[in-house]
Amino acid sequence: AASRPAHGCGSGALLGRFGVLLQALLALCAFSTLMLKRFKEPKEERRPWRIWFYDTSKQAIGALFIHFANIFLSDLTEEDPCSLYLINFILDATLGMLLIWLGVKAVSWIVQHHKYTYLVFGEYGDPPQAAAWIGQCVLYLLIMIFEKTVISLVLLIPGWTKLQQILLSYIPSPQLELVLVMLVVPFIVNAIMFWVVDSLIMRKYKQKDTLNINESTETPRARRTEESQVLLSPDMDFDQSESDQDISGLKGMNQKMKQPSYQVVI
């Protein structure tokens, strides 16, 4: 029953020793892209390690759920489970990506409308609260469940079986098929997905910090400019008044009384 069909890997190959090794290597390589993304961020916008962990762990939980759901669905087929896993994965990376984007936008609008501050993706409070992270993980997992449910319904459309039969039929070796299905293609697609989704659910530090910087730098400059104007103009009037009074003293007391008086306001 566990024998390999004419083409493709056999039943249970995805959870075999070689398959599990490939999955561990995939996880290491895929999440290293998130580490690379953090170091590619400008230093003034780079997230602290705790915030970075809160952001990326949501994707880790969602990716693990999707991965094991695909393995479970792939083992239900009588055909090549590797090709069905690849079909699931490609649908997750295309249609599923759109569903995740719509889900994040919808959830963000709802929590902002109801003013649930700690459920806004990327906002954890100051100092960061673990309760906010847990709540956001639950919301993101619900989005992934919604996405996988829609993808599973799409797979019920007739015609996928024929594609499954010819998708990997040109690969003669089951080990090579496992490497392609469980490592090469998922690594490339997951790297892109993780990068995009991380940018989607992370706090927009650049925009927010820019506003704070502008408020903290421009306002004092404006105040200093106003203060300098207030300080300089009375001094000039004061100097002018003193010189006028000295001149008027030479011309006589009557002309001195006619000079306008000035007040110094500081």
Side-chain angles (χ1 to χ4, degrees), residues 62-257:
L64 288 174
F65 168 77
I66 293 296
H67 175 73
F68 287 109
N70 289 341
I71 291 179
F72 173 76
L73 294 174
S74 300
D75 282 336
L76 296 178
T77 182
E78 297 179 356
E79 301 292 336
D80 179 14
C82 289
S83 60
L84 184 56
Y85 179 89
L86 184 60
I87 292 174
N88 273 279
F89 188 81
I90 293 174
L91 287 175
D92 289 330
T94 53
L95 178 60
M97 190 68 193
L98 176 62
L99 294 173
I100 293 173
W101 180 81
L102 292 175
V104 170
K105 290 296 184 181
V107 169
S108 299
W109 182 85
I110 292 173
V111 298
Q112 289 179 1
H113 179 73
H114 292 282
K115 298 181 180 179
Y116 299 143
T117 306
Y118 285 166
L119 294 180
V120 177
F121 287 122
E123 296 287 348
Y124 307 103
D126 188 16
Q129 303 293 324
W133 168 69
I134 294 174
Q136 294 177 32
C137 286
V138 172
L139 287 180
Y140 189 75
L141 185 58
L142 291 176
I143 294 174
M144 302 306 289
I145 294 174
F146 164 75
E147 182 268 343
K148 194 67 241 178
T149 302
V150 174
I151 296 299
S152 300
L153 294 176
V154 171
L155 285 174
L156 296 178
I157 301 174
W160 293 107
T161 304
K162 294 181 179 179
L163 177 61
Q164 184 181 348
Q165 292 174 351
I166 64 175
L167 186 61
L168 298 173
S169 59
Y170 59 91
I171 300 178
S173 173
Q175 286 78 16
L176 180 60
E177 185 174 337
L178 272 175
V179 171
L180 180 65
V181 171
M182 301 297 294
L183 182 60
V184 178
V185 176
F187 169 68
I188 297 174
V189 178
N190 273 328
I192 299 174
M193 288 183 63
F194 286 166
W195 200 290
V196 173
V197 175
D198 185 60
S199 300
L200 183 64
I201 65 177
M202 68 180 287
R203 177 184 173 187
K204 301 301 183 289
Y205 286 94
K206 183 175 182 180
Q207 180 180 0
K208 205 162 188 178
D209 292 346
T210 302
L211 293 176
N212 293 334
I213 291 173
N214 290 336
E215 290 178 359
S216 62
T217 56
E218 291 182 1
T219 302
R221 287 179 182 175
R223 290 177 179 176
R224 286 196 298 268
T225 303
E226 293 177 357
E227 291 174 357
S228 62
Q229 290 178 353
V230 172
L231 290 174
L232 286 174
S233 58
D235 291 341
M236 294 175 64
D237 293 339
F238 180 76
D239 295 337
Q240 183 67 32
S241 63
E242 287 183 344
S243 60
D244 290 344
Q245 288 175 0
D246 293 336
I247 296 173
S248 62
L250 297 175
K251 293 183 177 180
M253 291 298 297
N254 292 332
Q255 294 180 352
K256 182 177 181 182
M257 296 298 297

Side-chain angles (χ1 to χ4, degrees), residues 25-44:
L25 185 59
L26 170 65
L28 179 63
C29 295
F31 287 108
S32 64
T33 60
L34 293 173
M35 185 79 69
L36 176 63
K37 183 178 183 295
R38 181 185 182 275
F39 286 110
K40 293 290 288 183
E41 297 172 354
K43 290 185 178 181
E44 63 274 7

